[in-house]
Amino acid sequence: MRDPYSILGVQRDAGSDEIKAAWRSQAKAVHPDHNQTDPDATARFAEVGQAYDLLKDPKKRGLYDQARRAAENKKRDQTIIQQREAAKQAAARAKAAEKLMEELARAQARTTKAEAPTDTNAKPESAEDMLERIFGAEAKVKAASIKTGADASETAAEDGSATHGDKTDGGSASSTSFFAALLRRIRRAPVVPEKAPDITAEATVSVTDLIEQKWMTINMPEDREVRFQLEPGMTDGYVVRLKGQGLKLPEAARGDLVVTLLASREGPFSIQNFDIHTTLPISLADAVLGCEAAVQSPHGELKVAVPAWSGSDRAIRVEGKGLADGTGGHGDFVVELRIVLLDTPDAKVMDLMRHMREGLYL
């Protein structure tokens, strides 16, 4: 199951009343009877119920919070250990490669010196031939491919000096250039520094913030601010990872800042996935007979048709008026009906209800 706090849209320090209210709102919105065209409605409804069952029980909630913190700490520790091990392995490979290059250079020097007095016309052994003699034919092929990508400027300089010297000097310089280029390639491989642990944070966003894609500001412990812009596809519970904006430790790469977006529970609108929900109070007469009503949305006032005989479990969907889903589409604007009575008792309505309950019809 996903994070129960994100499923219900509450913060981790939410009280029992807030959790219960969020569960009721979510359960009504995702109830399969109200979403008969949605094949995932049953699964989402069950997920909301499981999240509430976990968070309403203080013991279960405490165990979940403890397990979540332990998992986060374990993941952080494993990441540090893996990064340290990778750095050690990279350093060991670089040291071994440097030692190998030194041995190969000495072997080439000894070969050139040994062959020079006996055969002045013999061509000095090339670096590729030497590698083939020591390591086999496959090493020669690899060496040739590496030599092809050597530094062009250095190769040109070495070729120029060879033109004015003898063949032996030219071959020795070419071999030295090859070994130097190969060693530079190995040393150029980046050693991954140890990465500091990530920092987690939460940012409360409103429906307007998400629609207008506003910039959000996170206040960091070391008296600095990190800003990021909301983008299409972001919604309640979305996790934003800001590379290199987390914790800074000596001799370690800065960690990331991981921000969870939490939709504000204040105001007339709530968010479920990419749908925007609101409630519309209607009178008993309008619920029974139906009507056309005006409802305020984040995009302005909308007109909706309330069907006759609509109960408080009815929801009206206005397609395409929700949040951008990041794929070019939008969620819906969902109007949940709520039947309300007049502020003062109405004698006619009470008389009618009394007659209906007691079975006396006019």
Side-chain angles (χ1 to χ4, degrees), residues 124-358:
E125 184 180 26
S126 67
E128 293 87 342
D129 293 337
M130 181 186 62
L131 289 176
E132 181 182 17
R133 175 171 54 79
I134 297 175
F135 299 107
E138 184 178 356
K140 181 177 181 180
V141 176
K142 292 181 179 180
S145 63
I146 295 175
K147 185 176 181 181
T148 303
D151 189 347
S153 61
E154 182 174 349
T155 301
E158 297 295 346
D159 290 343
S161 61
T163 302
H164 295 86
D166 58 23
K167 293 181 180 181
T168 301
D169 291 339
S172 177
S174 176
S175 299
T176 302
S177 173
F178 165 68
F179 287 123
L182 181 59
L183 185 58
R184 282 198 306 274
R185 279 180 171 270
I186 296 174
R187 286 176 172 172
R188 198 177 299 155
V191 177
V192 180
E194 180 178 327
K195 181 173 175 288
D198 296 337
I199 296 179
T200 59
E202 295 177 343
T204 301
V205 296
S206 66
V207 173
T208 303
D209 294 337
L210 292 168
I211 291 177
E212 297 181 358
Q213 300 177 21
K214 292 185 177 180
W215 284 83
M216 307 303 296
T217 301
I218 303 296
N219 295 317
M220 302 299 292
E222 58 269 30
D223 294 332
R224 67 184 178 94
E225 293 182 346
V226 176
R227 300 181 75 244
F228 67 95
Q229 188 176 18
L230 300 176
E231 300 176 354
M234 294 183 178
T235 183
D236 186 27
Y238 188 91
V239 178
V240 182
R241 178 175 290 274
L242 303 175
K243 297 288 187 179
Q245 296 295 334
L247 186 64
K248 176 63 176 177
L249 296 177
E251 300 181 0
R254 186 184 288 274
D256 300 337
L257 175 61
V258 182
V259 183
T260 301
L261 303 182
L262 299 179
S264 174
R265 310 303 298 182
E266 300 178 357
F269 307 116
S270 62
I271 299 174
Q272 296 179 18
N273 294 325
F274 298 104
D275 294 339
I276 301 174
H277 287 244
T278 192
T279 58
L280 174 63
I282 58 175
S283 66
L284 180 59
D286 289 338
V288 173
L289 302 176
C291 67
E292 185 179 75
V295 60
Q296 193 65 32
S297 80
H299 304 283
E301 187 176 273
L302 296 176
K303 296 288 186 179
V304 294
V306 178
W309 209 257
S310 294
S312 290
D313 58 347
R314 175 70 66 92
I316 302 172
R317 286 184 172 269
V318 181
E319 296 184 357
K321 293 297 184 179
L323 299 177
D325 59 12
T327 61
H330 289 76
D332 299 336
F333 182 61
V334 182
V335 182
E336 301 173 4
L337 303 181
R338 295 291 183 269
I339 299 176
V340 295
L341 299 178
L342 300 176
D343 294 336
T344 57
D346 185 285
K348 292 182 179 180
V349 173
M350 294 182 66
D351 187 56
L352 176 60
M353 294 298 105
R354 186 179 298 110
H355 283 301
M356 292 181 63
R357 184 176 64 183
E358 298 175 358

